[in-house]
Amino acid sequence: MSTGTDEEETLLLELHVDGFVDYEGRPILKSYSGGWRSAAFLIGVEVAERFSYYGIASNLITFLTGSLGESTATAAENVNLWAGVATLLPLLGGFVADSFFGRYRTIVIASIIYILGLGLLSLLAGLTSGSSSSSNIYVILFYFALYLVAIGQGGHKPCILAFGADQFDGKDPEESKSKSSFFNWWYFSSNVGILVTLSVLVYIQDNLSWAFGFGIPCIMMVAALFIFFLGTRTYRYSAKTNKKHPFVRIGRVFVAAARNRKITPLAMAPEEEGCSSLPPHLSKQFKCLDKALLTTAGFMEDGKVCSAVEVEEAKAVLRLVPIWVSCLGYAVVFAQCSTFFTKQGVTMDRTITSNFRIPAASLQSFISIAIILIVPLYDRIFVRVARAITMKPSGFTMLQRIGIGMILSAISMVIAALVEMKRLQSAEENGLVNKPNATIPMSIWWLVPQYILFGAADVFTMIGLQEFFYDQVPVELRSIGISLYLSIFGVGSILSSLLISAIDKVSNGTWFNDNLNRAHLDYFYWLLAGLNAVGLASFWYFAKSYIYKRESTG
């Protein structure tokens, strides 16, 4: 017979958030923490951070070809390389957060580094005073500051998103539904910040001052850190556990399986709690790892073999690899919107009024506009329609959502190639082939469709990848999960840089001539469309056999 005290204890447990504590390390109540209350602060931080990052990234190629005097191909390579490093560093930032400092402290440290980098960039930009050439020491300091920004972003980006998703309890049905919606609105809000950057900051950089153009992002990052501190008392923080670090658990599985690779299974370890609750079909993939369960293993720790739960964790991580690889084609395409697309726009008619010409980099704002318009439609209408058809709670599986975006991305590159062919034809018909500084009588609005398709693709693929890599890794590795998603675009940018460099050498500069009217960006876009198609085919192959970590997500 239960007592009133038992009922009160049960109710108290239901009100607590399992696995999380408050800022002082005490058990935390749902009603006083987390949810949209805390997420609002973190979304505000994300808006400011994206404003700051794109305030540098979106128009960097213009600064490099102008103030630093680099060639178009060299500047594109350097932008892609920097963007690649900036989106690979989150792997280090996520590791540091999950293994040592925790997400909150890592965000604070990364923000300070970020602010220092932006401040130095602003100072250096003020020293050029519009000069088209700079000393070696200036260039070294500029790239030092630029990569300082990359380091700050590398610690900030994976932790702020994972920390935001942590504010929703996945075990609570209502909060679980909010968490899925959170990823949509997170991306929506971040693109509001990007849109403001592309609408306002790019104009300041092109027409007023690069010092102000880099200084304003610095001020925004200071504001972001202030907003982050405001929510400190409301956040849910991951509680420390006595369990072995997931890297250790997963590493033990691979080592044990390797040591037992020649041993015939004689006895398994079914005594682990939770084994009976594992879906039986999970063991069909990567059976080689099942040998980590053998009791005959020479590799044992504290007299115990690896558990079935640990083996399934290792399999879950291993299943992410082919998905990660097959998305690289999409990432290479993604790298182009801030480089060659911008340089194309510079050659075209950008006149809005007799006294105003739209900055070419501002066209990237159509990506954000498309995202801002499509996300609410997707979250409120498209998902509900899809849910009625597919009978799935989320409308689409995460991998289906990613695949739809990859299709849209391939179409955008086909359109980009066709538009570039028309631009080259217009240059030839008007005798402007040998006049690189002349304005081609073709409106810059021809580029808008490819930007809009990029935005539509992002709504599906980018948000899908965020949720997928957050959801499918062990709970303690969610910062690393977000880092893995970001690293796709880091490697994609580096591959783009290497691809441009290789093509530039093989083609003797004909594809990426500084005079774009004599170049052949259309060839490059057709090549990227083909690479995207190959990536889509491989993604479909691996996605159709993918087994989700949780039944509910599939």
Side-chain angles (χ1 to χ4, degrees), residues 135-191:
S135 65
N136 288 335
I137 187 65
Y138 176 89
V139 173
I140 291 171
L141 285 173
F142 178 83
Y143 277 103
F144 172 76
L146 197 61
Y147 279 89
L148 206 59
V149 171
I151 293 170
Q153 202 256 179
H156 193 281
K157 186 63 178 174
C159 297
I160 196 73
L161 177 53
F163 195 55
D166 285 346
Q167 305 309 309
F168 300 92
D169 184 5
K171 298 176 183 178
D172 182 291
E174 287 302 315
E175 289 200 17
S176 179
K177 191 183 299 182
S178 294
K179 178 184 284 189
S180 182
S181 185
F182 164 77
F183 285 98
N184 291 327
W185 292 106
W186 177 273
Y187 203 61
F188 171 91
S189 301
S190 68
N191 276 276

Side-chain angles (χ1 to χ4, degrees), residues 248 255 347 384 405 408 437 452 493 515 521 534:
V248 176
V255 173
T347 70
R384 294 181 182 181
L408 294 174
N437 296 322
I452 290 176
S493 291
N515 178 2
L521 293 182
V534 171

Side-chain angles (χ1 to χ4, degrees), residues 279-412:
H281 61 268
L282 290 183
S283 61
K284 293 180 182 179
Q285 284 189 318
F286 307 117
K287 289 185 177 181
C288 58
L289 294 183
D290 292 343
K291 289 195 173 184
L293 295 168
L294 295 177
T295 57
T296 54
F299 177 72
M300 299 176 70
E301 187 176 323
D302 300 328
K304 295 181 181 180
V305 296
C306 297
S307 71
V309 172
E310 290 171 343
V311 170
E312 294 306 332
E313 278 186 337
K315 288 184 176 182
V317 171
L318 199 57
R319 279 195 293 270
L320 299 177
V321 175
I323 300 297
W324 186 94
V325 173
S326 60
C327 289
L328 289 176
Y330 178 89
V332 172
V333 171
F334 181 82
Q336 309 314 312
C337 60
S338 62
T339 54
F340 289 128
F341 282 13
T342 299
K343 295 301 291 183
Q344 278 178 275
V346 170
T347 70
M348 301 170 77
D349 183 6
R350 297 180 282 131
T351 303
I352 303 298
T353 67
S354 58
N355 297 318
F356 179 75
R357 299 174 71 203
I358 185 172
S362 291
L363 254 67
Q364 294 174 55
S365 63
F366 282 97
I367 297 177
S368 298
I369 290 171
I371 291 169
I372 290 169
L373 293 176
I374 294 172
V375 165
L377 295 175
Y378 179 90
D379 192 70
R380 298 301 179 187
I381 299 175
F382 199 55
V383 168
R384 294 181 182 181
V385 173
R387 189 182 296 151
I389 297 172
T390 65
M391 304 304 292
K392 295 180 182 294
S394 58
F396 296 103
T397 66
M398 288 178 279
L399 291 176
Q400 286 173 340
R401 181 174 186 172
I402 294 167
I404 292 171
M406 293 176 74
I407 293 171
L408 294 174
S409 175
I411 295 172
S412 74

Side-chain angles (χ1 to χ4, degrees), residues 8 37 48 78 83 96 113 218 229 269 313 326 330 344 354 412 435 478 481:
E8 288 175 2
R37 175 197 301 103
N78 286 334
V96 168
I113 296 172
C218 181
F229 283 139
E313 278 186 337
S326 60
Y330 178 89
Q344 278 178 275
S354 58
S412 74
K435 298 179 180 179
R478 281 175 169 167

